Amino acid sequence: MDYRVIKEGELFMLSELNGDIGRDNEQGHGLYAQDTRFLSRFELEVDGAKPMLLSSAGDKSYVASFRLIKEVKDEGAIEVTRDRFIYNGRLYERIAFTNYFPREIAFDASVSFDADFQDMFLVRKYRTGDVGKMEGVVVQDQEMTFRYLGADQVIRQTRISWDAEGGQVYTGGTVTFLLSLKIQETWSVTFQIVPMADKLLPTGKPLRFDEGLQRLEQSYEAWYADNTRIASDSPVFNELYRRGVQDLRMLTTDIGYGDTTVAGLPWFAVPFGRDSLITSLFMLPINPRHAVGTLRTLAAYQGEKVDPWRDEQPGKIMHEIRFGELVTTQQSPFSPYYGTIDSTPLFLVLIGEYYRWTGDLSLVQELRPNITRALDYIDASMRSGSGFMAYKQEADKGFPNQGWKDSANSIMHENGAYADSPIALAEVQGYVYQAKHSLAPLFELMGEPETARRLAAEAEELQARFESAYWMEDEQCYAIALDKDLRQVRSVSSNPGHLLMSGMPEASRAKAQAVRMMKPDMFNGYGIRTMSTQSTGYYPMSYHNGSVWPHDNAMILLGLGKLGLKQEAEQVISGLLDASVHFEYQRLPELFCGHDAGLGHPVPYPTTCSPQAWAAGTSIVFLQAMLGLYPDALRREIALSPFLVQGMNQLEATHIAIGGGHLSVRVTRNADGSTFSVEILENTTGYTVVE
């Protein structure tokens, strides 16, 4: 990555590799909260010049460290270290200067600040709009405050304070310290930067740098302890798993209804529908409780009315919510925006899967009204004429394509023409089937047998219609979509791979779909491409038409695991593990290019979120797939059918939360190399393990 980013709670900090937010800031660097840039400059100079970067570290998701030097050749140098983290609504940064000249040295150290309070959409040049105005800078002893009055009449402020005396504050926001250090003497200053607005205030009292960092690290250790822990003889898998679990903690937020995950950094640090739901689905094996906050958050913002401005309809689950000035002044429809076709059925899928892991019917009962409204929205969509759930853009500033591949060119016919809407995506029909199929027995448990029977029948009817309309016999796979005329959009793509998770495809076709995705035109050696190299529109550097998305592969893996297709599952996991070692800190990015693995390395996509929530959750799906772990609270059983990827001979997973307790298992490769032994180390779940 050519940037450093850290996040905690509502705040995230994006900077250059040297730690600066420069004066000429075209990359959008800054300190952000509530989709507002509260710090637009944070620039360090020694004797009027920028020190040279020696190293930049972001291996811990919550701390960024920088080492710099201001050198006079053949004489000596001033070494500068910068360490930063965010805790309780404050950015802490400690800057230390050490004299490595062979004599006492005098110099000045300057730190320049500015705050433009720009809306995220303006920073990204994604929107224009009428905004507020700066109200000046207030300077006090060891403190300065930038103040802005928004067009929404909200006062936003950035307060910057420091703990070292003697700093001179100059007009424009520069603090300068005149220093004199003896040989190898170190001097440091700690800055605290606090964004403030009506609903954005720091919590707790300011802490010393070391105390704040210690508390932050303790919160991460508590996070690790509360989730499933793994150990294997594969260092690559171990590191990828720990990286993913760590990044998911970083990407956790709470906007008032419990913890959920934001989509990714730097530009999507807000809850989403699809992204947060899929991430929560992936996180079930480390702790099903992570799904609760996501479900409650999305239920709170469920659509209530017909509003074409926001693509809102009653019962619909949102796509994305923003909190910046353009949203609060209704210049942008993201308050929230509902332009997504898959969030609503995925909301129901997650409820069904949550119950299978936990047996917690109380949450299902709590969300009963939301479930009913979501089902009503789905049924209304399916009654529109096609018999399938379809989308059409309504909002002028919304998305033309509203599945997870939401690029304008992502749904393309063989002749290169874009499909006309309404468009019925293949995987969405699978989500609808899975939602109704999994909810039917829950309505039975809630004393509503007629609703249960109706949902089960509707699922079976959808399955029959789907098999007739989507199967491409010549390709031995399903079409990506149907267009407005119910014509197949005959791209060979990864989307139908999600169907395997749903259980909707007929058994022989499910197997054929899996085999088709593993052919060389789809599987590039590192993962399954989004589009076949033989399809019109294939482009390996595209966003959705030939790239490889880890989360897309993970959705497919969930289905391969359910179907017991271990050879295909092992191939996908091994490919992505091989790819992971080529990325910084072994962090799988949002996506990478679709070039063949024969190049010797995956080709990075030029603009990708990293860290990104559903990419971080991919390693958890690896764990579930290798264990063949599928709990079922209805039967009070835990299916366990493990395998290990090549190069791994033992895998231990402990503290897996299922039912009313925990499961811990150890899987060992036997001497024949192809079979595996399972040892149950703990089972307090109340469920029977079925191997």
Side-chain angles (χ1 to χ4, degrees), residues 5-13 32-35 61 120 220 223 244 246-256 258-283 290 293-294 297-298 318-323 551 590 609-617:
V5 62
I6 58 172
K7 176 188 171 295
E8 176 70 11
E10 289 193 73
L11 276 62
F12 78 88
M13 172 72 161
Y32 290 86
Q34 295 182 346
D35 294 299
S61 302
M120 174 74 79
Y220 270 78
W223 169 263
Q246 177 177 283
D247 282 348
L248 288 167
R249 162 64 178 81
M250 173 198 194
L251 294 169
T252 295
T253 195
D254 182 353
I255 61 171
D259 285 345
T260 185
T261 55
V262 302
L265 297 177
W267 306 126
F268 300 98
V270 292
F272 273 58
R274 174 195 310 122
D275 296 57
S276 299
L277 286 163
I278 289 176
T279 302
S280 294
L281 189 67
F282 290 176
M283 293 174 74
H290 298 311
T294 295
T297 298
L298 296 176
M318 72 172 181
H319 167 69
E320 174 185 0
I321 188 168
R322 295 284 179 171
F323 303 95
H551 97 278
E590 177 185 15
C609 283
S610 185
Q612 207 258 5
W614 57 19

Coordinates of all heavy atoms in Angstrom, one line a residue, residues 5-13 32-35 61 120 220 223 244 246-256 258-283 290 293-294 297-298 318-323 551 590 609-617:
V5 N -3.0 3.5 7.3 CA -4.3 3.8 7.8 C -4.5 3.0 9.1 O -4.1 1.9 9.2 CB -5.4 3.5 6.8 CG1 -5.5 2.0 6.4 CG2 -6.8 3.9 7.3
I6 N -5.1 3.7 10.1 CA -5.5 3.1 11.3 C -6.9 3.5 11.6 O -7.4 4.6 11.1 CB -4.6 3.4 12.5 CG1 -4.5 5.0 12.8 CG2 -3.2 2.9 12.3 CD1 -3.8 5.4 14.0
K7 N -7.6 2.7 12.4 CA -9.0 3.0 12.8 C -9.3 2.5 14.1 O -8.8 1.5 14.6 CB -10.0 2.4 11.7 CG -11.5 2.6 12.1 CD -12.4 1.8 11.2 CE -13.8 1.9 11.7 NZ -14.0 1.2 13.0
E8 N -10.2 3.2 14.8 CA -10.7 2.8 16.1 C -12.1 3.5 16.3 O -12.1 4.7 16.2 CB -9.8 3.1 17.3 CG -10.4 2.8 18.7 CD -10.5 1.3 18.9 OE1 -9.9 0.5 18.1 OE2 -11.1 0.9 19.9
G9 N -13.1 2.7 16.5 CA -14.5 3.3 16.6 C -14.9 4.1 15.4 O -14.8 3.6 14.3
E10 N -15.3 5.4 15.6 CA -15.7 6.2 14.5 C -14.6 6.9 13.7 O -14.8 7.5 12.7 CB -16.7 7.2 15.0 CG -18.1 6.7 15.4 CD -19.1 7.8 15.6 OE1 -19.5 8.4 14.6 OE2 -19.4 8.2 16.8
L11 N -13.4 6.9 14.3 CA -12.3 7.7 13.7 C -11.4 6.8 12.9 O -11.1 5.6 13.3 CB -11.5 8.3 14.8 CG -11.9 9.7 15.3 CD1 -13.3 9.5 16.0 CD2 -10.9 10.2 16.4
F12 N -10.9 7.3 11.8 CA -9.8 6.7 11.1 C -8.8 7.7 10.5 O -9.2 8.9 10.2 CB -10.2 5.7 10.0 CG -10.7 6.3 8.7 CD1 -9.8 6.6 7.7 CD2 -12.0 6.6 8.5 CE1 -10.2 7.1 6.5 CE2 -12.5 7.1 7.3 CZ -11.5 7.4 6.3
M13 N -7.6 7.4 10.5 CA -6.5 8.3 10.0 C -5.8 7.7 8.8 O -5.3 6.6 8.9 CB -5.5 8.5 11.2 CG -4.3 9.3 10.8 SD -4.6 11.0 10.6 CE -3.0 11.7 10.7
Y32 N -10.6 11.3 9.8 CA -12.0 11.3 9.4 C -12.9 10.8 10.5 O -12.5 9.9 11.3 CB -12.2 10.4 8.2 CG -11.7 11.0 6.9 CD1 -10.4 10.7 6.5 CD2 -12.5 11.7 6.0 CE1 -9.9 11.2 5.3 CE2 -12.0 12.2 4.8 CZ -10.7 11.9 4.5 OH -10.2 12.4 3.3
A33 N -14.0 11.3 10.6 CA -15.1 10.8 11.5 C -16.4 11.3 10.9 O -16.5 12.4 10.3 CB -15.0 11.3 12.9
Q34 N -17.4 10.4 10.9 CA -18.7 10.7 10.4 C -18.7 11.3 9.0 O -19.3 12.3 8.6 CB -19.5 11.7 11.3 CG -19.8 11.1 12.7 CD -20.5 12.0 13.6 OE1 -20.6 13.2 13.4 NE2 -21.1 11.5 14.7
D35 N -17.8 10.7 8.1 CA -17.7 11.0 6.7 C -17.3 12.5 6.5 O -17.6 13.1 5.5 CB -19.0 10.8 6.0 CG -19.3 9.3 5.9 OD1 -18.5 8.6 5.3 OD2 -20.4 8.9 6.4
S61 N -3.0 -3.3 13.2 CA -4.1 -2.6 12.6 C -4.3 -1.3 13.3 O -4.9 -0.4 12.7 CB -5.3 -3.5 12.5 OG -5.1 -4.7 11.8
M120 N -16.8 13.6 2.9 CA -16.1 12.5 2.2 C -16.3 12.5 0.7 O -15.4 12.3 -0.1 CB -16.5 11.2 2.8 CG -15.9 10.0 2.1 SD -14.2 9.7 2.4 CE -14.3 9.0 4.1
Y220 N -7.6 -5.4 22.3 CA -7.4 -6.4 21.2 C -7.2 -7.8 21.8 O -7.6 -8.8 21.2 CB -6.2 -6.0 20.4 CG -6.6 -5.1 19.2 CD1 -6.9 -3.7 19.4 CD2 -6.8 -5.6 17.9 CE1 -7.3 -3.0 18.3 CE2 -7.1 -4.8 16.9 CZ -7.4 -3.5 17.1 OH -7.8 -2.7 16.0
W223 N -10.4 -9.3 22.6 CA -11.0 -9.7 21.4 C -10.6 -11.0 20.9 O -11.4 -11.9 20.6 CB -10.8 -8.6 20.3 CG -11.2 -8.9 18.9 CD1 -10.4 -9.4 17.9 CD2 -12.5 -8.8 18.3 NE1 -11.0 -9.6 16.7 CE2 -12.3 -9.2 16.9 CE3 -13.7 -8.3 18.8 CZ2 -13.4 -9.1 16.1 CZ3 -14.8 -8.3 17.9 CH2 -14.6 -8.7 16.5
G244 N -6.7 -11.6 9.7 CA -8.1 -11.3 9.5 C -8.8 -11.0 10.7 O -9.6 -10.1 10.7
Q246 N -7.7 -9.8 13.5 CA -7.2 -8.4 14.0 C -7.9 -7.3 13.2 O -8.4 -6.3 13.7 CB -5.7 -8.3 13.8 CG -5.1 -7.0 14.2 CD -3.6 -7.0 14.2 OE1 -2.9 -7.5 15.0 NE2 -3.1 -6.4 13.1
D247 N -7.9 -7.5 11.8 CA -8.5 -6.4 11.0 C -10.0 -6.3 11.2 O -10.6 -5.2 11.2 CB -8.2 -6.7 9.5 CG -6.8 -6.3 9.1 OD1 -6.1 -5.7 9.9 OD2 -6.4 -6.7 8.0
L248 N -10.7 -7.4 11.5 CA -12.1 -7.3 11.8 C -12.4 -6.6 13.1 O -13.4 -5.8 13.2 CB -12.7 -8.7 11.9 CG -12.8 -9.4 10.5 CD1 -13.1 -10.9 10.7 CD2 -13.9 -8.8 9.6
R249 N -11.5 -6.7 14.1 CA -11.6 -5.9 15.3 C -11.5 -4.4 14.9 O -12.2 -3.5 15.4 CB -10.6 -6.3 16.3 CG -10.3 -5.3 17.4 CD -11.5 -5.0 18.3 NE -11.1 -4.1 19.4 CZ -11.0 -2.8 19.3 NH1 -11.3 -2.2 18.1 NH2 -10.7 -2.0 20.3
M250 N -10.5 -4.1 14.1 CA -10.2 -2.7 13.7 C -11.5 -2.1 12.9 O -11.8 -0.9 13.1 CB -9.0 -2.7 12.7 CG -8.7 -1.4 12.1 SD -7.6 -1.7 10.7 CE -7.1 0.0 10.3
L251 N -12.1 -2.9 12.1 CA -13.2 -2.5 11.3 C -14.6 -2.5 12.0 O -15.6 -2.2 11.4 CB -13.3 -3.3 10.0 CG -12.0 -3.1 9.1 CD1 -12.0 -4.2 8.0 CD2 -12.0 -1.8 8.5
T252 N -14.6 -2.8 13.3 CA -15.8 -2.8 14.1 C -16.2 -1.4 14.5 O -15.4 -0.6 14.9 CB -15.6 -3.7 15.3 OG1 -15.4 -5.1 14.9 CG2 -16.9 -3.7 16.2
T253 N -17.5 -1.2 14.4 CA -18.1 0.1 14.9 C -19.5 -0.1 15.5 O -20.0 -1.2 15.3 CB -18.1 1.1 13.7 OG1 -18.3 2.4 14.2 CG2 -19.3 0.8 12.8
D254 N -20.0 0.9 16.1 CA -21.3 0.8 16.7 C -22.0 2.2 16.5 O -21.5 3.2 17.0 CB -21.2 0.5 18.2 CG -22.6 0.4 18.9 OD1 -23.6 0.7 18.2 OD2 -22.6 0.1 20.1
I255 N -23.0 2.2 15.7 CA -23.7 3.5 15.4 C -25.0 3.6 16.2 O -25.9 4.3 15.9 CB -24.0 3.7 13.9 CG1 -24.9 2.6 13.3 CG2 -22.7 3.8 13.1 CD1 -25.4 2.9 11.9
G256 N -25.1 2.7 17.3 CA -26.2 2.9 18.2 C -27.0 1.6 18.4 O -27.9 1.6 19.3
G258 N -25.4 -1.7 18.5 CA -24.5 -2.9 18.7 C -23.4 -2.9 17.6 O -23.5 -2.3 16.6
D259 N -22.4 -3.7 17.9 CA -21.2 -3.8 17.1 C -21.6 -4.4 15.7 O -22.3 -5.4 15.6 CB -20.1 -4.6 17.7 CG -19.4 -3.9 18.8 OD1 -19.6 -2.6 18.9 OD2 -18.7 -4.5 19.6
T260 N -21.1 -3.7 14.7 CA -21.1 -4.3 13.3 C -19.8 -3.9 12.7 O -19.0 -3.2 13.2 CB -22.3 -3.7 12.6 OG1 -22.4 -4.4 11.3 CG2 -22.2 -2.2 12.3
T261 N -19.6 -4.4 11.4 CA -18.4 -4.1 10.7 C -18.7 -3.0 9.6 O -19.7 -3.1 9.0 CB -17.7 -5.3 10.1 OG1 -18.7 -5.9 9.3 CG2 -17.2 -6.3 11.1
V262 N -17.7 -2.1 9.4 CA -17.8 -1.2 8.3 C -17.2 -2.0 7.1 O -16.7 -3.1 7.2 CB -17.0 0.0 8.5 CG1 -17.5 0.8 9.8 CG2 -15.5 -0.2 8.7
A263 N -17.4 -1.5 5.9 CA -17.0 -2.2 4.7 C -15.5 -2.3 4.5 O -15.0 -3.4 4.3 CB -17.7 -1.6 3.5
G264 N -14.8 -1.2 4.6 CA -13.4 -1.2 4.4 C -12.8 0.2 4.4 O -13.5 1.2 4.3
L265 N -11.5 0.2 4.4 CA -10.8 1.5 4.5 C -9.9 1.6 3.2 O -9.5 0.7 2.6 CB -9.8 1.5 5.7 CG -10.5 1.4 7.1 CD1 -9.4 1.3 8.2 CD2 -11.4 2.6 7.3
P266 N -9.8 2.9 2.8 CA -10.1 4.1 3.6 C -11.5 4.7 3.3 O -12.0 5.5 4.0 CB -9.1 5.1 3.1 CG -8.7 4.7 1.7 CD -8.9 3.2 1.7
W267 N -12.2 4.3 2.2 CA -13.3 5.1 1.7 C -14.7 4.6 2.2 O -15.7 5.2 1.9 CB -13.3 5.3 0.2 CG -12.0 5.9 -0.3 CD1 -11.2 5.3 -1.2 CD2 -11.3 7.1 0.2 NE1 -10.0 6.1 -1.4 CE2 -10.1 7.2 -0.5 CE3 -11.6 8.0 1.2 CZ2 -9.2 8.2 -0.3 CZ3 -10.7 9.1 1.4 CH2 -9.5 9.1 0.7
F268 N -14.7 3.4 2.8 CA -16.0 2.8 3.1 C -16.1 2.5 4.6 O -16.4 1.3 5.0 CB -16.3 1.6 2.2 CG -16.3 2.0 0.8 CD1 -15.2 1.8 0.0 CD2 -17.4 2.6 0.2 CE1 -15.2 2.2 -1.4 CE2 -17.4 2.9 -1.2 CZ -16.3 2.7 -1.9
A269 N -15.8 3.5 5.4 CA -15.7 3.2 6.9 C -17.1 3.4 7.5 O -17.2 4.1 8.6 CB -14.7 4.2 7.5
V270 N -18.1 2.8 6.9 CA -19.5 3.0 7.4 C -20.1 1.6 7.3 O -19.7 0.8 6.5 CB -20.3 4.0 6.6 CG1 -19.7 5.4 6.9 CG2 -20.2 3.7 5.1
P271 N -21.2 1.3 8.0 CA -21.9 0.1 7.9 C -22.6 0.0 6.5 O -23.1 1.0 6.0 CB -23.0 0.2 9.0 CG -22.4 1.1 10.0 CD -21.7 2.1 9.2
F272 N -22.6 -1.1 5.9 CA -23.2 -1.4 4.7 C -24.3 -2.5 4.9 O -24.3 -3.1 6.0 CB -22.2 -1.9 3.6 CG -21.5 -0.9 2.8 CD1 -20.8 0.1 3.5 CD2 -21.6 -0.9 1.4 CE1 -20.2 1.1 2.7 CE2 -21.0 0.1 0.7 CZ -20.2 1.1 1.3
G273 N -25.1 -2.7 3.9 CA -26.0 -3.8 4.0 C -25.3 -5.1 3.6 O -24.9 -5.9 4.5
R274 N -25.1 -5.3 2.3 CA -24.5 -6.5 1.8 C -23.1 -6.8 2.5 O -22.9 -7.9 2.9 CB -24.3 -6.3 0.3 CG -23.5 -7.4 -0.4 CD -23.0 -7.0 -1.8 NE -24.1 -6.4 -2.6 CZ -24.1 -5.2 -3.1 NH1 -23.1 -4.4 -2.9 NH2 -25.1 -4.7 -3.8
D275 N -22.2 -5.8 2.5 CA -20.9 -6.1 3.1 C -20.9 -6.5 4.5 O -20.2 -7.5 4.9 CB -20.0 -4.8 2.9 CG -19.8 -4.4 1.5 OD1 -20.8 -4.2 0.8 OD2 -18.6 -4.3 1.1
S276 N -21.7 -5.8 5.3 CA -21.7 -6.1 6.8 C -22.4 -7.5 7.0 O -22.0 -8.2 7.9 CB -22.4 -5.0 7.5 OG -21.7 -3.8 7.4
L277 N -23.4 -7.8 6.2 CA -24.1 -9.1 6.3 C -23.2 -10.2 5.9 O -23.1 -11.2 6.7 CB -25.4 -9.1 5.5 CG -26.5 -8.2 6.0 CD1 -27.6 -7.9 4.9 CD2 -27.2 -8.9 7.2
I278 N -22.5 -10.1 4.8 CA -21.7 -11.2 4.4 C -20.5 -11.4 5.4 O -20.1 -12.5 5.7 CB -21.1 -10.9 2.9 CG1 -22.3 -11.1 1.9 CG2 -20.0 -11.8 2.6 CD1 -22.0 -10.8 0.5
T279 N -19.9 -10.2 5.8 CA -18.9 -10.3 6.8 C -19.4 -11.0 8.1 O -18.7 -11.9 8.7 CB -18.3 -8.9 7.2 OG1 -17.9 -8.3 6.0 CG2 -17.2 -9.0 8.2
S280 N -20.6 -10.7 8.6 CA -21.1 -11.4 9.7 C -21.4 -12.9 9.5 O -21.2 -13.7 10.4 CB -22.4 -10.7 10.1 OG -22.2 -9.4 10.6
L281 N -21.8 -13.2 8.3 CA -22.0 -14.6 7.9 C -20.6 -15.3 8.0 O -20.5 -16.4 8.5 CB -22.5 -14.7 6.5 CG -23.0 -16.0 5.9 CD1 -24.2 -16.5 6.7 CD2 -23.3 -15.9 4.4
F282 N -19.6 -14.7 7.5 CA -18.2 -15.3 7.6 C -17.8 -15.5 9.0 O -17.0 -16.4 9.3 CB -17.2 -14.4 6.8 CG -17.4 -14.4 5.3 CD1 -16.5 -13.6 4.5 CD2 -18.3 -15.2 4.7 CE1 -16.7 -13.6 3.2 CE2 -18.4 -15.2 3.3 CZ -17.6 -14.4 2.5
M283 N -18.2 -14.5 9.9 CA -17.7 -14.5 11.3 C -18.4 -15.5 12.2 O -18.0 -15.6 13.4 CB -17.8 -13.1 11.8 CG -16.8 -12.1 11.2 SD -17.1 -10.4 11.7 CE -16.3 -10.5 13.4
H290 N -21.3 -11.8 16.9 CA -21.0 -10.6 16.0 C -22.1 -10.3 15.0 O -22.2 -9.2 14.5 CB -19.7 -10.9 15.3 CG -18.5 -11.1 16.1 ND1 -18.2 -10.2 17.2 CD2 -17.5 -12.0 16.2 CE1 -17.1 -10.6 17.8 NE2 -16.7 -11.7 17.2
G293 N -25.3 -7.4 16.4 CA -25.3 -6.0 16.1 C -25.6 -5.6 14.7 O -26.3 -4.6 14.4
T294 N -25.1 -6.4 13.8 CA -25.4 -6.2 12.3 C -26.8 -6.3 12.0 O -27.4 -5.4 11.4 CB -24.6 -7.1 11.5 OG1 -23.2 -6.9 11.6 CG2 -24.9 -7.0 10.0
T297 N -28.7 -3.3 13.7 CA -28.4 -2.1 13.0 C -29.2 -2.0 11.7 O -29.9 -0.9 11.4 CB -26.9 -2.0 12.7 OG1 -26.2 -1.9 13.9 CG2 -26.6 -0.7 11.9
L298 N -29.2 -3.0 10.9 CA -29.9 -3.0 9.6 C -31.4 -3.0 9.8 O -32.2 -2.4 9.0 CB -29.5 -4.2 8.7 CG -28.0 -4.1 8.3 CD1 -27.6 -5.3 7.6 CD2 -27.7 -2.8 7.5
M318 N -31.0 -1.6 3.7 CA -30.2 -0.5 3.1 C -28.9 -1.1 2.4 O -28.4 -2.2 2.7 CB -29.7 0.5 4.1 CG -28.7 0.0 5.1 SD -28.1 1.4 6.1 CE -26.8 0.5 7.1
H319 N -28.4 -0.3 1.5 CA -27.1 -0.6 0.9 C -26.0 0.0 1.7 O -25.0 -0.6 2.0 CB -27.0 0.0 -0.5 CG -25.7 0.0 -1.1 ND1 -25.0 -1.2 -1.4 CD2 -24.8 1.0 -1.4 CE1 -23.8 -0.9 -1.9 NE2 -23.6 0.4 -1.9
E320 N -26.1 1.3 2.1 CA -25.0 2.1 2.7 C -25.6 3.3 3.4 O -26.5 3.9 2.9 CB -24.1 2.5 1.6 CG -22.9 3.4 1.9 CD -22.1 3.8 0.7 OE1 -22.4 3.4 -0.4 OE2 -21.1 4.6 0.9
I321 N -25.0 3.7 4.5 CA -25.4 4.9 5.2 C -24.2 5.8 5.4 O -23.1 5.3 5.7 CB -26.0 4.6 6.6 CG1 -26.6 5.8 7.2 CG2 -25.1 3.9 7.5 CD1 -27.5 5.6 8.4
R322 N -24.4 7.1 5.2 CA -23.4 8.1 5.4 C -23.9 9.2 6.4 O -25.1 9.3 6.6 CB -23.0 8.7 4.0 CG -22.3 7.8 3.0 CD -20.9 7.5 3.4 NE -20.3 6.6 2.5 CZ -19.0 6.3 2.5 NH1 -18.2 6.9 3.3 NH2 -18.5 5.4 1.6
F323 N -22.9 10.0 6.9 CA -23.3 10.9 8.0 C -22.7 12.3 7.7 O -22.8 13.2 8.6 CB -22.8 10.4 9.3 CG -23.3 9.0 9.7 CD1 -22.5 7.9 9.4 CD2 -24.5 8.9 10.3 CE1 -23.0 6.6 9.7 CE2 -25.0 7.6 10.6 CZ -24.2 6.5 10.3
H551 N -13.5 -12.4 -1.1 CA -14.9 -12.7 -0.5 C -15.7 -13.5 -1.5 O -16.5 -14.4 -1.0 CB -15.6 -11.4 -0.1 CG -16.6 -10.9 -1.1 ND1 -16.2 -10.2 -2.2 CD2 -17.9 -11.1 -1.2 CE1 -17.3 -10.0 -3.0 NE2 -18.3 -10.5 -2.4
E590 N -9.2 -6.2 -1.1 CA -10.5 -6.3 -1.6 C -10.6 -7.2 -2.8 O -11.5 -8.0 -3.0 CB -11.1 -4.9 -1.8 CG -12.4 -4.8 -2.4 CD -12.8 -3.4 -2.8 OE1 -11.9 -2.5 -2.8 OE2 -14.0 -3.1 -3.0
C609 N -9.6 -1.3 -1.6 CA -9.7 -1.1 -0.1 C -8.8 -2.2 0.6 O -8.8 -3.4 0.3 CB -11.1 -1.3 0.4 SG -12.1 0.1 0.1
S610 N -8.0 -1.7 1.5 CA -7.2 -2.6 2.4 C -6.9 -1.9 3.6 O -6.2 -0.9 3.6 CB -6.0 -3.1 1.6 OG -5.2 -4.0 2.3
P611 N -7.3 -2.4 4.8 CA -8.1 -3.6 5.0 C -9.5 -3.5 4.6 O -10.0 -2.4 4.5 CB -7.9 -3.8 6.5 CG -7.8 -2.5 7.1 CD -7.0 -1.7 6.1
Q612 N -10.1 -4.6 4.3 CA -11.5 -4.7 3.8 C -12.2 -5.8 4.6 O -11.6 -6.9 4.7 CB -11.5 -4.9 2.3 CG -12.7 -4.3 1.6 CD -13.7 -5.4 1.3 OE1 -13.5 -6.6 1.6 NE2 -14.8 -5.0 0.6
A613 N -13.4 -5.6 5.0 CA -14.0 -6.5 6.0 C -14.2 -7.9 5.5 O -13.8 -8.9 6.1 CB -15.3 -5.9 6.5
W614 N -14.9 -8.0 4.3 CA -15.2 -9.4 3.9 C -14.0 -10.1 3.4 O -13.9 -11.3 3.4 CB -16.4 -9.5 2.9 CG -16.4 -8.7 1.7 CD1 -15.3 -8.1 1.1 CD2 -17.5 -8.3 0.9 NE1 -15.6 -7.5 -0.1 CE2 -17.0 -7.6 -0.2 CE3 -18.9 -8.5 1.0 CZ2 -17.8 -7.1 -1.2 CZ3 -19.7 -8.0 -0.1 CH2 -19.2 -7.3 -1.1
A615 N -12.9 -9.4 2.9 CA -11.7 -10.0 2.6 C -11.0 -10.5 3.9 O -10.4 -11.6 3.9 CB -10.8 -9.0 1.9
A616 N -11.1 -9.7 5.0 CA -10.5 -10.1 6.3 C -11.2 -11.4 6.8 O -10.6 -12.3 7.4 CB -10.6 -9.0 7.3
G617 N -12.5 -11.5 6.5 CA -13.3 -12.7 7.0 C -13.0 -13.9 6.2 O -13.5 -15.0 6.6

